[in-house]
């Protein structure tokens, strides 16, 4: 007669599936789903789609939306390139002050955005330490222009790319690069055909995070932007202005427009990520 042997299963550090899923769904609902649902309900049910379009379809609103997403996209692209380079240097090279630079990357995470905005404005104002030099040398004004907005968004978005790509670079085996060189590939070919494909998914994730942060950034931008309507006024500031005027429906309409554009951009980025992962898997 066969005997059955029973082994005790080691208890998992996390609770069971039902409890874990319930906690996840509850937190997600409280933080994300319910606020977004209330926003959409207020906009489309209480206010109406036609009224939302009437609020959004104004020159001042279009200018603010275009500036917010254009500046966020430029800053995210800049952070994508130089964030990957910075992460590569921090992982692959040793130099004096490396730990200090590595710690400084996280500064935008800990620094209040209003403090960052005031500091950047003081530095890049026409009479500031950097602004006066740039103005005299190149005749370029940084603060109170779109260029100043770019700098503020680059400052707050750079850590997202660096910290997302850095662990992936640490896991890349140097033998892969050496094998490519042994087979006769140049450094450029090794970079474009071996290293970058492995970094692409993480780099796109960092790009999406930096873009999302930049689109909704408020505190570090309003001080350096100048906030001129149709020139340097960002969409989040326009929402705050509508709230201060007790125009809650107008604020909701602009917020829904930002939500729709952001969702479209993030969906496109996720599709590119899926394509790059499938391409890398096929290779």
């Amino acid at each position: 007669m066969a005997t059955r042997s029973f082994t005790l299963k080691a208890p998992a550090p996390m609770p069971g599936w039902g409890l874990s899923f319930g906690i996840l769904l509850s937190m997600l609902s409280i933080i994300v789903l319910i606020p977004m649902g209330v926003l959409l309900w207020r906009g489309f049910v209480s206010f109406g789609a036609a009224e939302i379009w009437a609020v959004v379809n104004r020159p001042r609103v279009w200018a603010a939306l275009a500036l917010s997403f254009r500046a966020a996209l430029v800053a995210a692209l800049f952070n994508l390139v130089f964030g990957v380079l910075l992460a590569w240097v921090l992982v692959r090279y040793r130099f004096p002050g490396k730990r200090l630079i590595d710690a400084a990357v996280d500064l935008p995470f800990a620094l209040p955005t209003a403090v960052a905005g005031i500091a950047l404005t003081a530095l890049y104002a026409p009479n500031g330490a950097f602004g006066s030099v740039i103005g005299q040398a190149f005749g370029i004004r940084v603060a109170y222009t779109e260029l100043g907005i770019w700098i503020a968004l680059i400052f707050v978005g750079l850590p997202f790319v660096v910290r997302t790509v850095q662990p992936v670079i640490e896991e890349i085996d140097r033998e892969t690069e050496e094998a490519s060189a042994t087979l006769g590939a140049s450094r450029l070919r090794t970079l474009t055909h071996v290293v970058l494909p492995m970094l692409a998914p993480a780099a796109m994730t960092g790009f999406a995070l930096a873009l999302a942060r930049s689109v909704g950034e408020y505190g570090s931008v309003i001080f350096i932007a100048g906030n001129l309507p149709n020139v340097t006024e960002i969409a989040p500031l326009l929402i705050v202005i509508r709230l201060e005027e007790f125009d809650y429906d107008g604020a909701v309409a602009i917020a829904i427009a930002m939500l729709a554009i952001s969702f479209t951009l993030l969906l496109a980025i996720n599709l590119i990520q899926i394509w790059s992962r499938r391409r890398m898997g096929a290779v």
Side-chain angles (χ1 to χ4, degrees):
M1 182 176 179
T3 59
R4 292 184 180 180
S5 60
F6 296 93
T7 57
L8 292 176
K9 207 173 191 180
M14 295 294 291
W17 160 251
L19 180 60
S20 300
F21 183 75
I23 295 174
L24 171 65
L25 188 60
S26 299
M27 295 300 298
L28 185 64
S29 299
I30 294 172
I31 298 174
V32 179
L33 299 179
I34 294 177
M36 289 181 59
V38 171
L39 177 68
L40 295 175
W41 179 86
R42 175 67 184 262
F44 289 100
V45 177
S46 178
F47 193 40
E51 288 77 7
I52 291 175
W53 176 250
V55 171
V56 174
N57 193 25
R58 297 175 183 175
R60 183 178 179 181
V61 178
W62 280 120
L65 289 171
L67 175 61
S68 293
F69 286 95
R70 180 175 64 247
L73 185 60
V74 170
L77 289 173
F78 182 94
N79 286 331
L80 175 63
V81 176
F82 290 95
V84 172
L85 290 176
L86 179 56
W88 184 271
V89 170
L90 290 175
V91 172
R92 290 300 180 92
Y93 297 98
R94 294 182 179 180
F95 52 90
K98 175 182 175 179
R99 292 185 178 180
L100 181 62
I101 296 176
D102 192 26
V105 171
D106 295 327
L107 185 61
F109 288 147
L111 193 67
T113 55
V115 176
I118 294 173
L120 291 173
T121 305
L123 287 173
Y124 289 99
N127 58 347
F130 295 162
S132 59
V133 175
I134 296 174
Q136 293 175 3
F138 305 101
I140 299 175
R141 186 178 180 182
V142 179
Y144 316 123
T145 64
E146 187 171 344
L147 179 58
I149 298 175
W150 292 348
I151 291 176
L153 296 182
I154 289 170
F155 175 80
V156 300
L158 182 62
F160 290 94
V161 179
V162 176
R163 294 311 185 209
T164 305
V165 175
Q166 199 169 357
V168 180
I169 297 176
E170 292 175 351
E171 293 177 359
I172 294 178
D173 194 350
R174 290 177 180 264
E175 293 181 357
T176 305
E177 303 169 42
E178 295 172 357
S180 176
T182 303
L183 294 173
S186 63
R187 290 187 176 182
L188 180 60
R189 186 173 181 83
T190 300
L191 176 66
T192 56
H193 288 74
V194 177
V195 177
L196 289 183
M198 290 188 287
L199 294 180
M204 291 304 299
T205 300
F207 172 77
L209 293 174
L211 178 64
R213 171 66 188 272
S214 298
V215 166
E217 182 59 26
Y218 175 77
S220 63
V221 175
I222 57 172
F223 294 100
I224 199 172
N227 307 323
L228 296 176
N230 298 316
V231 181
T232 58
E233 185 180 56
I234 59 174
L237 175 62
L238 193 56
I239 293 175
V240 173
I241 292 174
R242 293 289 182 266
L243 291 175
E244 291 177 347
E245 295 172 350
F246 301 101
D247 184 8
Y248 300 118
D249 291 333
V252 168
I254 300 172
I256 290 176
M258 290 193 67
L259 179 63
I261 300 173
S262 300
F263 179 79
T264 303
L265 288 175
L266 293 178
L267 178 61
I269 293 171
N270 287 329
L271 291 176
I272 294 174
Q273 283 182 296
I274 295 172
W275 173 81
S276 64
R277 285 179 180 141
R278 288 181 177 176
R279 185 173 180 272
M280 183 177 175
V283 173

